[in-house]
Structure formats: C-alpha cells, structure tokens
C-alpha cells in the first residue's frame, strides 16, 4: 500500500519570503500522480499543483513549484513571495495510475502554514 | 459548471440517530469518493463508487456505515446509530473517469456533530 509522509506539522514564513514544504511517499509503482492540495479555514480542498511521475520536469504554477525526486520518492512544494492568503493546511497526495488498483487519493497528515507580516 | 455539491453543510445528531450525507458530483463525473477528516487530521479514504457499484470500500468501518451511488440522484453516505467518534468532516470528491487528469474535485464537506 502506498503511504505519504509529511514530517512538518507546522511551518511559518514571513510575507514575501519563500518556504518549502516537505513530502515523501512510498510506492512500488512507476506510474502515478502527486498533488499538493490547500485547505484554508473554509475547509474547501483546493488543488495547488500536480506532477505526473513520468515527467522529469518539475511542475510550476505561478508562485508554486515542486521539487520532484522520483528516485528519492520526494515531492516538496516551494511557495515563493508568500502572501497572507497562502496561510492554510497543505496536504500532499498520491494517486496510482495502475488500472488494476482502485484509484483513490492517499493523503499525508498535512502541514499547517502560517504567514506572518 | 457547478462543482461538487454536498449537503447538508452541517448536521447535528444525537447518539443513536442516523446521519445521511448527500453528494452530487460535477456534471459529467461518474466516479465518487468519500473521505473523512477528523479534527486536526488529514483526509482518510472511505469508499469509491461508480454508478450503482461500490468499487473500493476498504476504508469504510465494517458496521454502521454504508454508501450508495444510484443510477439517478446523488451519492449517499449513511451512518447508522451514530456515536461521538463519528463527529468529523465528511468530504465527497468526483472525477470524470478512473484516471483522467489525476485530479479529484472536492466538495466543501459536510460537518457532522454528534451530541
């Protein structure tokens, strides 16, 4: 079974600075997706960024980028120019592409990001 | 295109009562997933359904919990004889098919409080 580990329960960053959230995962599969979801106080789950495992190039979405290290099974999220609206819980998630397996998302335990002035 | 709709947003039940949570997936989506989030924890998978079929219920408690996704109408997560430990946020997500784009689209959740 796949597992996702987020070892940082809480992180803090000053506005306009850069912060990196860590995520590692365990899988024996070669084809899968990785995601970062954001959960603000409203509790809505919002997709931040996705990475296909077969792509070597790291995904980027505006101020958000990932460092995907497939061999190390590491998938960190970098937030540049942090804004107050970035304050939220961030969840790393894994989804298999193996059609013989139920395609559910497996989540990590989350990292709470605080953004200070 | 409306997103995933869940209702009720908040539900209060006394111990021993039944709770029914509804989820209408996004238009064109035929795959529904239910997740539970306990306070200060991540989302835990409960069940994955397609129309009229349960595909994976490996995360569902063996007793008191059931889910369905009928041919017509929303998906229903049913919790019988609720206990205080069932208090949580229950999220529904949908996708167009098994692996398209990878992403699951989430509703805003239903918060169940058991008194």
């Amino acid at each position: 079974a796949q597992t996702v580990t987020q070892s940082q329960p809480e992180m803090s960053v000053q506005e306009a600075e850069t912060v990196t959230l860590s995520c590692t995962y365990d899988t024996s599969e070669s084809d899968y997706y990785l995601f970062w979801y954001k959960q603000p106080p409203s509790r809505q789950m919002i997709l931040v960024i996705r990475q296909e495992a077969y792509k070597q190039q790291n995904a980027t979405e505006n101020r958000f980028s990932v460092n995907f290290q497939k061999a190390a099974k590491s998938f960190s999220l970098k937030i540049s120019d942090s804004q107050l609206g970035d304050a939220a819980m961030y969840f790393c998630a894994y989804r298999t592409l193996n059609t013989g397996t139920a395609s559910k998302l497996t989540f990590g335990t989350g990292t709470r990001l605080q953004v200070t002035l | 295109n409306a997103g995933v709709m869940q209702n009720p947003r908040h539900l209060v039940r006394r111990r021993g009562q039944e709770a029914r949570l509804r989820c209408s997936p996004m238009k064109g989506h035929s795959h529904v997933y239910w997740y539970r989030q306990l306070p200060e924890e991540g989302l835990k998978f409960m069940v994955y359904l397609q129309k009229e079929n349960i595909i994976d219920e490996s995360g569902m408690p063996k007793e008191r919990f059931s889910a369905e996704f009928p041919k017509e109408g929303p998906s229903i997560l049913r919790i019988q004889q609720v206990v205080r430990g069932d208090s949580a946020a229950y999220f529904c997500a949908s996708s167009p098919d098994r692996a398209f784009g990878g992403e699951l689209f989430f509703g805003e959740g239903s918060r169940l409080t058991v008194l």
Side-chain angles (χ1 to χ4, degrees), chain A residues 24-96:
Chain A
T24 58
Y25 59 95
D26 187 25
T27 184
S28 58
E29 299 177 335
S30 58
D31 294 324
Y32 49 87
Y33 283 107
L34 295 165
F35 305 87
W36 280 97
Y37 277 86
K38 169 185 178 181
Q39 188 180 43
S42 67
R43 303 191 71 85
Q44 175 80 51
M45 293 292 288
I46 301 166
L47 179 68
V48 174
I49 199 165
R50 98 184 75 214
Q51 175 80 42
E52 293 93 336
Y54 65 87
K55 290 186 177 179
Q56 292 185 335
Q57 186 173 6
N58 289 324
T60 299
E61 288 287 342
N62 300 314
R63 298 183 294 107
F64 299 87
S65 61
V66 299
N67 183 4
F68 173 48
Q69 302 290 328
K70 190 173 183 179
K73 296 179 183 174
S74 171
F75 183 61
S76 59
L77 174 69
K78 186 171 81 171
I79 306 174
S80 303
D81 187 24
S82 297
Q83 301 175 0
L84 292 177
D86 295 334
M89 282 290 287
Y90 286 81
F91 292 99
C92 180
Y94 171 103
R95 188 181 189 195
T96 181

Side-chain angles (χ1 to χ4, degrees), chain A residues 33 35 37 39 42-45 47 50 91 95 97-109 112, chain B residues 9 33 35 37 40-43 45 48 56 58 89 91 95 97-99 101-104 106-108 111:
Chain A
Y33 283 107
F35 305 87
Y37 277 86
Q39 188 180 43
S42 67
R43 303 191 71 85
Q44 175 80 51
M45 293 292 288
L47 179 68
R50 98 184 75 214
F91 292 99
R95 188 181 189 195
L97 281 174
N98 182 345
T99 56
T101 306
S103 59
K104 60 182 181 283
L105 273 178
T106 300
F107 286 90
T109 52
R112 183 177 301 280
Chain B
R9 292 293 309 279
Y33 306 77
Y35 285 80
Q37 185 177 33
E40 304 302 318
E41 293 189 11
L43 278 73
F45 169 77
Y48 162 39
D56 180 359
S58 58
F91 287 89
S95 67
D97 61 31
R98 199 177 185 91
E103 176 186 359
L104 298 188
F106 283 84
E108 294 185 330
R111 181 176 296 280

